mmCIF file of all heavy atoms in Angstrom:
data_model
loop_
_atom_site.group_PDB
_atom_site.id
_atom_site.type_symbol
_atom_site.label_atom_id
_atom_site.label_comp_id
_atom_site.label_asym_id
_atom_site.label_seq_id
_atom_site.Cartn_x
_atom_site.Cartn_y
_atom_site.Cartn_z
ATOM 1 N N VAL A 6 7.517 20.176 -10.473
ATOM 2 C CA VAL A 6 8.106 18.831 -10.417
ATOM 3 C C VAL A 6 7.779 18.259 -9.015
ATOM 4 O O VAL A 6 7.910 18.931 -8.033
ATOM 5 C CB VAL A 6 9.603 18.873 -10.643
ATOM 6 C CG1 VAL A 6 10.232 17.503 -10.446
ATOM 7 C CG2 VAL A 6 9.966 19.433 -12.000
ATOM 8 N N TYR A 7 7.376 16.988 -9.043
ATOM 9 C CA TYR A 7 7.214 16.238 -7.787
ATOM 10 C C TYR A 7 8.251 15.179 -7.733
ATOM 11 O O TYR A 7 8.414 14.392 -8.669
ATOM 12 C CB TYR A 7 5.801 15.620 -7.698
ATOM 13 C CG TYR A 7 5.641 14.710 -6.523
ATOM 14 C CD1 TYR A 7 5.266 15.241 -5.258
ATOM 15 C CD2 TYR A 7 5.847 13.348 -6.588
ATOM 16 C CE1 TYR A 7 5.131 14.393 -4.208
ATOM 17 C CE2 TYR A 7 5.710 12.534 -5.499
ATOM 18 C CZ TYR A 7 5.387 13.036 -4.296
ATOM 19 O OH TYR A 7 5.207 12.258 -3.184
ATOM 20 N N ALA A 8 9.014 15.119 -6.652
ATOM 21 C CA ALA A 8 10.017 14.072 -6.471
ATOM 22 C C ALA A 8 9.930 13.514 -5.072
ATOM 23 O O ALA A 8 9.582 14.283 -4.106
ATOM 24 C CB ALA A 8 11.418 14.623 -6.719
ATOM 25 N N ASP A 9 10.168 12.271 -4.923
ATOM 26 C CA ASP A 9 10.173 11.610 -3.633
ATOM 27 C C ASP A 9 11.200 10.528 -3.606
ATOM 28 O O ASP A 9 11.631 10.023 -4.659
ATOM 29 C CB ASP A 9 8.801 11.025 -3.367
ATOM 30 C CG ASP A 9 8.486 11.016 -1.844
ATOM 31 O OD1 ASP A 9 9.410 10.887 -1.039
ATOM 32 O OD2 ASP A 9 7.251 11.156 -1.520
ATOM 33 N N ASP A 10 11.710 10.154 -2.450
ATOM 34 C CA ASP A 10 12.697 9.114 -2.331
ATOM 35 C C ASP A 10 12.431 8.285 -1.050
ATOM 36 O O ASP A 10 13.174 8.414 -0.077
ATOM 37 C CB ASP A 10 14.067 9.764 -2.290
ATOM 38 C CG ASP A 10 15.220 8.700 -2.352
ATOM 39 O OD1 ASP A 10 14.958 7.591 -2.759
ATOM 40 O OD2 ASP A 10 16.327 9.035 -1.972
ATOM 41 N N PRO A 11 11.350 7.498 -1.079
ATOM 42 C CA PRO A 11 11.014 6.765 0.195
ATOM 43 C C PRO A 11 12.034 5.739 0.548
ATOM 44 O O PRO A 11 12.591 5.054 -0.344
ATOM 45 C CB PRO A 11 9.688 6.102 -0.226
ATOM 46 C CG PRO A 11 9.675 6.033 -1.710
ATOM 47 C CD PRO A 11 10.506 7.181 -2.167
ATOM 48 N N LYS A 12 12.301 5.595 1.838
ATOM 49 C CA LYS A 12 13.295 4.649 2.360
ATOM 50 C C LYS A 12 12.687 3.527 3.116
ATOM 51 O O LYS A 12 13.363 2.688 3.668
ATOM 52 C CB LYS A 12 14.302 5.411 3.175
ATOM 53 C CG LYS A 12 14.974 6.587 2.566
ATOM 54 C CD LYS A 12 16.015 6.136 1.559
ATOM 55 C CE LYS A 12 16.782 7.328 1.096
ATOM 56 N NZ LYS A 12 17.358 7.178 -0.187
ATOM 57 N N SER A 13 11.324 3.494 3.309
ATOM 58 C CA SER A 13 10.695 2.502 4.077
ATOM 59 C C SER A 13 9.299 2.244 3.470
ATOM 60 O O SER A 13 8.814 2.996 2.641
ATOM 61 C CB SER A 13 10.513 2.935 5.530
ATOM 62 O OG SER A 13 9.621 4.022 5.613
ATOM 63 N N LEU A 14 8.668 1.146 3.914
ATOM 64 C CA LEU A 14 7.308 0.848 3.449
ATOM 65 C C LEU A 14 6.332 1.962 3.824
ATOM 66 O O LEU A 14 5.551 2.366 2.971
ATOM 67 C CB LEU A 14 6.821 -0.450 4.096
ATOM 68 C CG LEU A 14 7.228 -1.710 3.375
ATOM 69 C CD1 LEU A 14 6.768 -2.928 4.207
ATOM 70 C CD2 LEU A 14 6.656 -1.779 1.975
ATOM 71 N N SER A 15 6.427 2.450 5.044
ATOM 72 C CA SER A 15 5.478 3.523 5.430
ATOM 73 C C SER A 15 5.751 4.783 4.609
ATOM 74 O O SER A 15 4.793 5.503 4.261
ATOM 75 C CB SER A 15 5.599 3.847 6.923
ATOM 76 O OG SER A 15 6.916 4.279 7.289
ATOM 77 N N ALA A 16 6.992 5.041 4.236
ATOM 78 C CA ALA A 16 7.312 6.195 3.433
ATOM 79 C C ALA A 16 6.768 6.007 2.004
ATOM 80 O O ALA A 16 6.344 6.988 1.354
ATOM 81 C CB ALA A 16 8.800 6.438 3.355
ATOM 82 N N ILE A 17 6.725 4.820 1.488
ATOM 83 C CA ILE A 17 6.125 4.534 0.198
ATOM 84 C C ILE A 17 4.635 4.832 0.242
ATOM 85 O O ILE A 17 4.092 5.481 -0.688
ATOM 86 C CB ILE A 17 6.415 3.056 -0.257
ATOM 87 C CG1 ILE A 17 7.910 2.894 -0.538
ATOM 88 C CG2 ILE A 17 5.577 2.696 -1.503
ATOM 89 C CD1 ILE A 17 8.302 1.454 -0.770
ATOM 90 N N VAL A 18 3.979 4.394 1.287
ATOM 91 C CA VAL A 18 2.561 4.650 1.457
ATOM 92 C C VAL A 18 2.293 6.155 1.512
ATOM 93 O O VAL A 18 1.404 6.670 0.844
ATOM 94 C CB VAL A 18 1.993 3.933 2.700
ATOM 95 C CG1 VAL A 18 0.536 4.335 2.990
ATOM 96 C CG2 VAL A 18 2.103 2.421 2.568
#
Side-chain angles (χ1 to χ4, degrees):
V6 175
Y7 172 85
D9 210 328
D10 187 19
K12 305 285 188 207
S13 67
L14 275 174
S15 62
I17 292 170
V18 173

